[in-house]
Amino acid sequence: MGARHAAAIVSTLALMLPAGAAAFDTGPHSDITRDAMSAEGFGRTAADIGVVNNWFVDLYSNASAVPHSGHADTINEILAFSYGDREHWPKAVIDGAVYSHFDSTFANFMFANGLEAEWDRMSQRTAALARQAAANKNPRALLSLIGLSLHEVQDFYSHTNWIDALGYEGADGPNWPVMSYGRTPTWFDVPRDVRDGFGMGVYAGGTPGHDRKHAAWNTDDNKTVVHAVAKDWPGRPGYDDAHIAAYFATRQWLQAIKTWVNDPGIWRQAQVWSNRAGNQLDHDLWGSTWIGMHSGHWQGQGEPCNPTWSLRLCGDREGPGGNLIELRSANKHYFEDWSKSTFRKQFQQQIVEYSKFNTGDPIPAPITSSQAMQRTTEFVRLRVLKTRALGLGDVGPDEADMYSRATIAGQRFQSGTIIGEDSYNFPKPNAPYEWLKAIPAGTSVPEPVTAIQVEVKTSSARYSGTDDSVSLRLGPTMRFQLDKRLYDDFERGDSDTYSVPIDALVRNGLRIADINQVQLEKAPDGLGGGWKLKSVKLTVNGRVLYNRGRIEQWLEGKHRFWAAPDFRSSAPSGPALGVTLDIFDDDYSIYGDDDHGDLDPFGMRKTFARTYTPGAPDSRWTTGSSTYAGRLGDGDSAKVLYALETLTPTAAPFRLPEVNNPPIEVVAPPATTPTPPPPVLKPDLVITAMGNNTGNGTYYVTVQNQGNAPSPSFSVRVTNPSDSTYSKTVTANAALPAGASVTLTYETQCISGTYTGNADPTNAISESNESNNTRTYEQPQPCIL
């Protein structure tokens, strides 16, 4: 539903969550928390509690914009139809949530020592409250503390210049690679004396003495960081580095809390906690997702505000994200249809205690460096670069409001919404939908299932056909009816291939090892009596998993089942991870449901699924179709261009323990091995940007040397797959120092398609990493310079 221009907008303005407190948007906070907690052994419910408590920090920080809080203006409450439905949030809770950010409102965050003092306070309060939860045998309180404290831990990397990459115009943070601390060190990966020595060189955006602000979602058109210290959603320069650093910092913090608790029993109880308090936890998760998404603060894209209708101007906060009508519905459902959850009540108690300072808490045990994790972790990045509604969307002029869901290696993700666009290429300042998933480097996993087809042949004997329904069983809980729309199935002598409807199972991580039987089952005999089966062939992931002919068996009466007598289950494994992608039209409150777009080429399926082996990038279109569906297709067809690639952190080289740095546990080689030689000094060429200079009509490629040694002169080759004859080579004629960047022009005329850049294409230079030299840039139609 294209809600941006609906007359009801005027009554929903007060429900928008403002940019307010600085942090990652809700989506990245949720993804980082769930990913890291899962890696540290926490189950689904425990991670979900961490996610909602993380969100509560931002929810309560924005009390003045939430009509139900009791702290919004009366006119806002009336316009939002919430007058009389106020919760009267305690001021101490709101103040605690506001304080739990590395925010520009706190002047002491203008220099490193002020940031240091806040990290000390966070560590002391978290350690004290974690021990208290353990002493009280209260794992749920411990999970609440984990979630709310992680908000501030992650916040540090989004709105300070700590992790600024110097390859971006305007960045002024520490140059960690040159200092041999890797590319994404956490706060506790760097010795205290080094941190404190930066003075005002490390700061939070918007603090006194600094020109760079927190600013809006689209400051500097998301091309530079000249005026903003903000890496809070995938469109912002430096977001990937901030996300990666925050992930390692989250795991580092969880390991520290485990050490501070020093109670393996209570820690294990927290990890396996499964009490969701009925549906209360699910309702909190629903609220975090849909309020964040419809307010434009789930994964960037700007707020749903139209100055034509509003009582106030949104200015640079306005964008194509969010949905005002859906936001009003989400707020009312969350705050009015349910009472305050037990998890939110727990948060209100915890946040007040967590935000206190000068309490005399003892200094906790040292926090271990994350560099060992960084050496053994990779990140799979999935992006949606273009969307096409095709048959998805609503009738008439109402264009689709599209959002996506995805899974990577079993973790679920969701995007924000783009309003009123049947076709979208994510032009600046917008950015593609993006998700990152951490995986252990070199991991081997059971092969995931992406597609199943079964070919069933009916005997040619007299009366062999049937009008009764037939189902395929692949396991105790996996039974699928075989049916094609507007088609007469299982007629005498027919050979029919069916697409098995496995979308939900694939999203939940179905593996080939889970297929432990092949059985065909006929419904009780109808007027036509029995059915004679001739043969069956099962194809999984494009490979024949089972094939048996000359069965010639009647299925009738009390013998309506045929089980493959010689089927043997298998459990293949390898490096390939399961990836799924779905797309929806967001119009639940208008039409009663969100339309599910079809991205899968086979009938009875809508979810696009594939496997991805970490390493080389892969980008392609997927379009919904209805192969093996019968005479009526799946409907709501859609098309997306997606990209998969692997990001590998650059960790610090091994080094001896630092002097006067007790908070850091330095990772060194095992004692049983010889001391490693000094690190080899090599360059590492990475393409950090490709694009089009609209001012002068040239196409550029920016290369950074992120290694620890200068690079000699080098070349960059640019190709365009849409034109097999296209190849341009440009050369940097001077040496490139470590940490430095150079921008080269490779084209002066507009050619549509995907440009692929390759630094040092002939591998003439010996680099520390030879697998990170490529990058792509999409030039859409029409060609405009």
Side-chain angles (χ1 to χ4, degrees):
M1 165 61 185
R4 189 176 301 279
H5 300 292
I9 288 178
V10 71
S11 67
T12 63
L13 298 172
L15 291 169
M16 286 188 300
L17 295 182
F24 284 106
D25 277 335
T26 306
H29 268 305
S30 300
D31 297 342
I32 294 168
T33 300
R34 184 170 284 112
D35 199 0
M37 290 188 70
S38 298
E40 290 298 321
F42 289 87
R44 175 194 167 197
T45 297
D48 286 346
I49 293 174
V51 166
V52 298
N53 278 274
N54 196 317
W55 172 61
F56 290 152
V57 177
D58 266 346
L59 179 70
Y60 280 82
S61 298
N62 288 284
S64 62
V66 180
H68 301 80
S69 70
H71 295 266
D73 294 338
T74 301
I75 184 62
N76 286 346
E77 294 176 348
I78 294 174
L79 289 174
F81 304 121
S82 65
Y83 193 75
D85 294 308
R86 294 173 294 183
E87 293 188 347
H88 302 286
W89 294 351
K91 187 176 184 300
V93 174
I94 298 171
D95 291 344
V98 169
Y99 194 83
S100 298
H101 294 83
F102 280 97
D103 196 279
S104 61
T105 57
F106 308 120
N108 57 313
F109 293 166
M110 63 186 286
F111 50 86
N113 284 345
L115 297 169
E116 190 85 65
E118 177 62 3
W119 278 110
D120 286 345
R121 185 202 69 80
M122 292 164 57
S123 301
Q124 291 170 311
R125 289 306 294 145
T126 301
L129 292 174
R131 291 175 183 136
Q132 179 180 313
N136 294 335
K137 305 298 180 184
N138 192 343
R140 195 181 70 184
L142 179 58
L143 291 169
S144 174
L145 173 68
I146 285 172
L148 67 88
S149 65
L150 284 177
H151 187 95
E152 190 169 5
V153 170
Q154 297 160 1
D155 178 24
F156 174 79
Y157 300 94
S158 64
H159 279 287
T160 70
N161 71 332
W162 175 266
I163 210 70
D164 269 12
L166 297 185
Y168 295 109
E169 181 183 352
D172 59 2
N175 193 348
W176 296 124
V178 171
M179 298 177 67
S180 296
Y181 287 104
R183 184 178 177 87
T184 53
T186 70
W187 176 263
F188 293 105
D189 287 352
V190 178
R192 181 181 287 260
D193 59 336
V194 175
R195 300 191 304 248
D196 293 346
F198 279 105
M200 290 187 67
V202 175
Y203 61 92
T207 49
H210 302 286
D211 294 332
R212 295 173 66 198
K213 311 299 181 184
H214 280 192
W217 69 279
N218 58 352
T219 302
D220 297 331
D221 204 34
N222 290 335
K223 296 178 179 177
T224 73
V225 294
V226 172
H227 298 105
V229 183
K231 297 170 283 291
D232 47 7
W233 74 283
R236 293 296 304 163
Y239 166 80
D240 288 340
D241 285 342
H243 183 118
I244 290 170
Y247 168 82
F248 289 122
T250 298
R251 290 191 62 183
Q252 186 181 48
W253 192 252
L254 290 167
Q255 293 172 6
I257 296 175
K258 180 181 180 180
T259 301
W260 299 337
V261 167
N262 195 27
D263 185 337
I266 198 70
W267 188 257
R268 184 56 183 162
Q269 288 181 46
Q271 288 179 311
V272 300
W273 187 264
S274 60
N275 186 350
R276 303 178 74 86
N279 293 324
Q280 293 184 63
L281 182 57
D282 297 288
H283 184 66
D284 284 334
L285 286 168
W286 184 94
S288 71
T289 302
W290 295 101
I291 292 175
M293 194 175 85
H294 294 315
S295 64
H297 289 283
W298 177 259
Q299 202 187 59
Q301 308 292 2
E303 294 180 358
C305 178
N306 189 328
T308 304
W309 293 99
S310 67
L311 301 179
R312 58 176 180 161
L313 297 180
C314 288
D316 59 5
R317 284 164 49 185
E318 184 185 2
N323 186 316
L324 288 169
I325 291 179
E326 299 284 1
L327 176 59
R328 177 182 179 275
S329 175
N331 273 271
K332 290 184 72 66
H333 177 61
Y334 182 72
F335 290 107
E336 297 177 22
D337 294 348
W338 289 62
S339 59
K340 187 182 300 180
S341 74
T342 185
F343 301 100
R344 199 146 62 93
K345 292 175 182 177
Q346 179 88 64
F347 168 85
Q348 290 191 168
Q349 299 172 10
Q350 292 273 58
I351 194 66
V352 174
E353 295 299 317
Y354 169 78
S355 61
K356 289 180 179 178
F357 56 95
N358 296 331
T359 58
D361 297 320
I363 298 175
I367 293 180
T368 304
S369 170
S370 77
Q371 291 300 306
M373 286 186 288
Q374 299 210 27
R375 294 185 183 96
T376 58
T377 304
E378 297 175 322
F379 290 81
V380 173
R381 181 171 72 175
L382 171 62
R383 292 183 296 161
V384 174
L385 306 177
K386 296 180 180 180
T387 61
R388 302 288 184 267
L390 301 182
L392 178 66
D394 305 312
V395 297
D398 184 13
E399 296 194 15
D401 304 335
M402 286 190 282
Y403 67 92
S404 288
R405 288 176 181 160
T407 67
I408 307 172
Q411 181 172 337
R412 295 195 175 194
F413 300 89
Q414 179 156 329
S415 75
T417 306
I418 296 295
I419 301 299
E421 299 285 352
D422 278 348
S423 176
Y424 204 66
N425 293 346
F426 298 96
K428 287 286 187 181
N430 303 112
Y433 298 145
E434 177 184 319
W435 305 281
L436 290 170
K437 174 71 176 80
I439 58 171
T443 189
S444 180
V445 298
E447 182 178 346
V449 172
T450 60
I452 300 178
Q453 294 88 39
V454 60
E455 178 186 340
V456 178
K457 292 184 179 180
T458 299
S459 174
S460 298
R462 182 177 295 185
Y463 308 123
S464 293
T466 184
D467 291 329
D468 300 333
S469 63
V470 174
S471 298
L472 170 70
R473 183 178 293 278
L474 300 177
T477 60
M478 292 190 290
R479 182 177 181 272
F480 312 93
Q481 182 175 345
L482 302 181
D483 183 51
K484 296 183 181 182
R485 302 182 183 97
L486 299 180
Y487 181 82
D488 201 355
D489 304 280
F490 310 112
E491 291 297 288
R492 173 187 171 188
D494 278 358
S495 174
D496 294 311
T497 300
Y498 294 86
S499 170
V500 182
I502 56 172
D503 280 356
L505 291 173
V506 169
R507 291 193 296 268
N508 287 328
L510 178 65
R511 307 165 303 175
I512 290 181
D514 298 322
I515 301 174
N516 54 36
Q517 66 183 116
V518 177
Q519 179 168 296
L520 289 171
E521 306 174 358
K522 190 183 78 69
D525 295 347
L527 294 177
W531 170 56
K532 193 172 187 180
L533 170 65
K534 179 179 180 180
S535 68
V536 59
K537 181 169 69 174
L538 183 71
T539 302
V540 180
N541 294 357
R543 306 192 308 269
V544 175
L545 192 65
Y546 181 78
N547 188 12
R548 187 177 181 89
R550 300 181 180 179
I551 298 173
E552 297 294 345
Q553 178 173 321
W554 284 97
L555 276 63
E556 60 185 340
K558 296 181 179 181
H559 305 283
R560 296 180 287 104
F561 304 93
W562 176 86
D566 54 345
F567 176 75
R568 300 292 181 267
S569 60
S570 60
S573 62
L577 307 170
V579 177
T580 70
L581 187 63
D582 290 273
I583 195 163
F584 298 86
D585 176 22
D586 178 17
D587 53 21
Y588 175 80
S589 66
I590 305 301
Y591 297 104
D593 197 6
D594 288 352
D595 296 326
H596 189 178
D598 179 16
L599 294 178
D600 186 85
F602 294 104
M604 321 306 288
R605 299 280 306 277
K606 289 180 179 284
T607 297
F608 170 72
R610 61 153 297 173
T611 56
Y612 172 70
T613 300
D618 180 32
S619 179
R620 65 187 71 182
W621 287 95
T622 178
T623 307
S625 186
S626 301
T627 303
Y628 307 135
R631 295 186 177 90
L632 181 64
D634 294 331
D636 289 338
S637 60
K639 180 178 182 180
V640 300
L641 175 64
Y642 70 88
L644 278 162
E645 53 195 316
T646 304
L647 307 182
T648 302
T650 303
F654 287 116
R655 56 180 180 271
L656 296 176
E658 305 285 351
V659 180
N660 298 323
N661 186 40
I664 301 299
E665 177 182 305
V666 177
V667 178
T672 56
T673 61
T675 302
V680 178
L681 299 180
K682 286 187 175 183
D684 184 17
L685 299 177
V686 177
I687 299 178
T688 58
M690 291 183 69
N692 166 250
N693 291 310
T694 55
N696 58 24
T698 62
Y699 287 83
Y700 67 89
V701 55
T702 300
V703 180
Q704 181 185 16
N705 178 6
Q706 66 176 20
N708 53 13
S711 168
S713 62
F714 61 94
S715 63
V716 178
R717 180 183 299 154
V718 181
T719 57
N720 188 326
S722 61
D723 182 358
S724 60
T725 65
Y726 184 91
S727 179
K728 294 292 181 71
T729 300
V730 290
T731 302
N733 294 316
L736 189 63
S741 298
V742 64
T743 297
L744 306 170
T745 296
Y746 65 86
E747 185 59 87
T748 58
Q749 61 179 334
C750 185
I751 302 174
S752 64
T754 302
Y755 290 102
T756 299
N758 188 347
D760 188 29
T762 62
N763 291 325
I765 300 170
S766 177
E767 300 179 59
S768 58
N769 186 347
E770 299 284 2
S771 64
N772 60 354
N773 292 34
T774 61
R775 187 183 181 95
T776 60
Y777 166 71
E778 183 74 15
Q779 172 60 49
Q781 285 278 19
C783 257
I784 299 176
L785 289 177

